[in-house]
Amino acid sequence: MKVLLLGVTGRVGSRMLPALLAHKHQVVAYVRTPAKISSEATSKLDSIVVGSASDSAAIKAAILSHNCDAVVNAAGLAAMTGLTSQGEFPAIFAAVVQAALEAGRERGSAPIRCWLMSGFSILDSPKKPYLLLDYIPIFPSHKRNYLLIKSHPADILAWSLFCANDISPKYDTPQFPPSADASASNLVAKADAPPAWVEKYRTVPLIGNYLNIMAQAQSYYSVLENCVDFIAADLEKGLESEWIGKRVSVKEKSKVK
Ligand SMILES: NC(=O)c1ccc[n+]([C@@H]2O[C@H](COP(=O)([O-])OP(=O)(O)OC[C@H]3O[C@@H](n4cnc5c(N)ncnc54)[C@H](OP(=O)(O)O)[C@@H]3O)[C@@H](O)[C@H]2O)c1
């Protein structure tokens, strides 16, 4: 696919680029500071568009003028608590969603395939209808973003939210091509709820759910290079992906008991 990638100068986006290339996608980078892109990365990009990730009209124009079929958003950073300003992240998320939606409509043929970085806290908790965030209220902007995107049917915007807990790179710098051990096959994945969840403290009155979430969240740490391979591999499926319209959670296979 031809992918518009936002956030290529960040931790996630810089590793997303080699993963997308390894899966034979063409990549158009949308950045506000092109000087921050390494010369190696620049040489591998199809094009670079300069603009703000909160400028919906400019993102839409980039999608349409470069004939992109997909958008990957790794721009912006969610604030951990609601006590501080939520910064620009919700505005970036809303701008990307609006841009992809309108570009898909204007293009008329098929919706834009869209992967957006989100967070673990908006996954379903084992006790319906509560989300994990209802027990541990962190990264509140992810919930706001989720409520926004789920109001758009997947047949007009083919979205997926990547809901990792803590993702850290294995290698200090992006690897071109990605290292052979970077692979989606190191992960198990599930839609809307964490995979391989274990109900340990179900019988503890009142605080059982809190204990369980606190105890297990750490085991959902995942390797960034595996996560970006997961997204890049999925984009090969285009609109046939089983993850469209879903919050997607992953766990390292090595952590599955
Ligand atoms: N890291 C994790 O453990 C983790 C876990 C779950 C979810 N996530 C999510 O993944 C996403 C990316 O995280 P990260 O760790 O890669 O963050 P990061 O290293 O801080 O990168 C953020 C990127 O966003 C770009 N950006 C910010 N504001 C922009 C704007 N107005 N216009 C254009 N670009 C803008 C930055 O560009 P500049 O270089 O120009 O500043 C940078 O490329 C975030 O949404 C985060 O919440 C991360």
Side-chain angles (χ1 to χ4, degrees):
M1 289 187 120
K2 197 165 187 188
V3 181
L4 188 78
L5 172 62
L6 296 95
V8 74
T9 56
R11 234 161 51 114
V12 173
S14 60
R15 273 90 181 175
M16 192 72 73
L17 173 60
L20 290 169
L21 296 169
H23 285 273
K24 310 280 182 251
H25 302 295
Q26 288 172 275
V27 183
V28 177
Y30 184 98
V31 283
R32 61 177 170 184
T33 37
K36 282 170 80 174
I37 311 178
S38 71
S39 52
E40 186 174 31
T42 301
S43 69
K44 297 179 188 309
L45 288 166
D46 185 86
S47 335
I48 297 174
V49 179
V50 180
S52 169
S54 56
D55 183 344
S56 177
I59 301 167
K60 177 179 138 188
I63 297 170
L64 291 172
S65 62
H66 290 274
N67 293 318
C68 295
D69 319 289
V71 173
V72 175
N73 184 46
L77 194 57
M80 191 168 184
T81 71
L83 300 174
T84 55
S85 148
Q86 294 303 291
E88 212 187 351
F89 183 56
I92 290 175
F93 188 94
V96 174
V97 167
Q98 189 64 22
L101 197 63
E102 288 181 15
R105 273 201 192 120
E106 236 162 83
R107 196 172 67 157
S109 46
I112 303 289
R113 178 73 180 107
C114 218
W115 267 103
L116 301 113
M117 295 306 296
S118 185
F120 192 70
S121 60
I122 58 153
L123 295 167
D124 291 339
S125 80
K127 196 168 176 200
K128 299 278 172 57
Y130 300 107
L131 303 180
L132 295 178
L133 174 139
D134 295 322
Y135 292 95
I136 315 289
I138 54 172
F139 298 107
S141 52
H142 290 314
K143 185 171 180 185
R144 177 171 159 179
N145 294 344
Y146 170 48
L147 294 177
L148 171 75
I149 205 158
K150 88 174 187 171
S151 67
H152 299 299
D155 60 342
I156 57 164
L157 177 66
W159 61 269
S160 302
L161 298 182
F162 195 79
C163 299
N165 184 18
D166 180 15
I167 38 181
S168 293
K170 183 169 184 181
Y171 298 96
D172 289 343
T173 55
Q175 312 281 301
F176 292 93
S179 151
D181 59 358
S183 172
S185 64
N186 295 323
L187 303 170
V188 286
K190 186 174 174 178
D192 301 329
W197 189 260
V198 184
E199 277 293 272
K200 269 191 195 162
Y201 301 101
R202 189 194 293 265
T203 53
V204 179
L206 297 173
I207 58 167
N209 279 323
Y210 290 93
L211 289 178
N212 202 18
I213 293 166
M214 296 291 275
Q216 290 201 63
Q218 282 292 56
S219 68
Y220 287 84
Y221 150 85
S222 44
V223 174
L224 178 48
E225 287 82 354
N226 294 337
C227 295
V228 292
D229 186 69
F230 181 92
I231 292 173
D234 178 68
L235 282 171
E236 286 191 48
K237 299 178 200 156
L239 297 175
E240 301 300 314
S241 164
E242 70 267 44
W243 305 115
I244 290 176
K246 310 284 184 199
R247 292 158 285 158
V248 181
S249 177
V250 297
K251 189 172 192 175
E252 293 286 322
K253 278 185 184 162
S254 60
K255 301 263 173 151
V256 176
K257 298 215 169 95

